[in-house]
């Protein structure tokens, strides 16, 4: 099976081609230039492997949560490519992608910096049948993330870098390690999407949609002032 995966949910741009079990990747720190750089980088990756989009079996993308603009770029590019090549799509949680990539850990607390003093948070445990959701994805203040049972947990993602003290105080000795430099990678998204494509669970391009979690993209001026006053 041949799959394209892409993620633009953070400041990183990550692309991967999964070709019958082998990976070809391109990644760079794109900042705010994802929309300008993603298609040239994809062309470079396709040229390297000698493939065209029509040679693929599907396209997977990081559906979120993450940067509002970044999620729209990933979804839009996946849709456009899939429409043009007649391919199915699968959206993959960026938090689950962090768990998949967490250095082989089987108990993972994934946190992405959501800005505005908040984190996107979820917890997963790996079993014989794959990843199981322990705590569903949500948006929290770092000192208000949900309690979790047991120990041996790995913390991963930019939330652990931005709010290290609050999160480590919250989970204390339950943590085995932290990987604060981690970001959602297309290679992990491809691996997670593979069983779905193999089971013919890919969706039409028209059904691709981001996972925002935060209902408001920005706080109003009054809300910002109120939050600053209470800090």
């Amino acid at each position: 099976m041949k799959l394209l995966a892409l993620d633009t949910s953070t400041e990183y741009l990550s692309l991967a081609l999964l070709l019958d079990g082998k990976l070809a990747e391109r990644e760079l720190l794109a900042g705010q230039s994802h929309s300008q750089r993603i298609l040239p980088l994809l062309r470079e990756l396709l040229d390297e492997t000698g493939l065209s989009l029509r040679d693929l079996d599907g396209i997977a993308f990081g559906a979120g949560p993450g940067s509002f603009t970044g999620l729209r770029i990933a979804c839009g590019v996946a849709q456009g490519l899939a429409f043009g090549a007649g391919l199915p799509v699968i959206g993959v949680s960026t938090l689950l992608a962090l768990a998949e990539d967490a250095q082989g850990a089987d108990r993972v607390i994934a946190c992405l910096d959501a800005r505005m003093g908040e984190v996107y948070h979820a917890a997963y445990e790996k079993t014989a049948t794959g990843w199981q959701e322990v705590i569903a994805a949500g948006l929290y203040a770092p000192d208000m993330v949900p309690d979790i049972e047991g120990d041996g947990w790995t913390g991963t993602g930019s939330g652990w870098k931005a709010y290290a003290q609050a999160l480590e105080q919250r989970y204390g000795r339950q943590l085995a390690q932290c990987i604060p430099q981690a970001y959602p990678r297309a290679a992990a998204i491809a691996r997670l999407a593979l069983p779905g494509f193999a089971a013919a669970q890919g969706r039409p391009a028209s059904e691709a949609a981001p996972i925002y979690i935060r209902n408001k993209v920005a706080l109003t001026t009054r809300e910002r002032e109120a939050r600053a006053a209470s800090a």
Side-chain angles (χ1 to χ4, degrees), residues 10-64:
T10 69
E11 64 270 28
Y12 289 91
L13 167 57
S14 182
L15 299 174
L17 283 172
L18 182 61
L19 311 173
D20 301 320
K22 297 181 180 180
L23 276 168
E25 301 178 69
R26 286 289 187 280
E27 293 184 335
L28 58 84
L29 182 59
Q32 303 299 315
S33 65
H34 297 84
S35 59
Q36 291 81 32
R37 307 196 66 174
I38 187 168
L39 292 181
L41 200 65
L42 173 58
R43 172 48 54 194
E44 181 181 311
L45 189 56
L46 288 170
D47 288 347
E48 175 189 309
T49 57
L51 296 174
S52 72
L53 287 173
R54 293 188 181 277
D55 294 322
L56 303 177
D57 297 295
I59 298 175
F61 66 99

Side-chain angles (χ1 to χ4, degrees), residues 123-141:
Y124 305 93
E125 188 165 8
K126 197 166 192 177
T127 69
T129 58
W131 288 104
Q132 301 298 315
E133 186 177 76
V134 177
I135 298 176
L139 179 69
Y140 304 94

Side-chain angles (χ1 to χ4, degrees), residues 193-208:
L194 179 59
F197 282 117
Q201 294 172 352
R203 307 304 302 166
S206 60
E207 296 183 17

Side-chain angles (χ1 to χ4, degrees), residues 82-109:
F83 271 126
L87 297 172
V89 300
I90 288 180
V92 174
S93 165
T94 51
L95 295 172
L96 183 57
L98 283 171
E100 172 69 15
D101 220 24
Q103 300 181 3
D106 57 12
R107 302 184 104 185
V108 178
I109 304 170

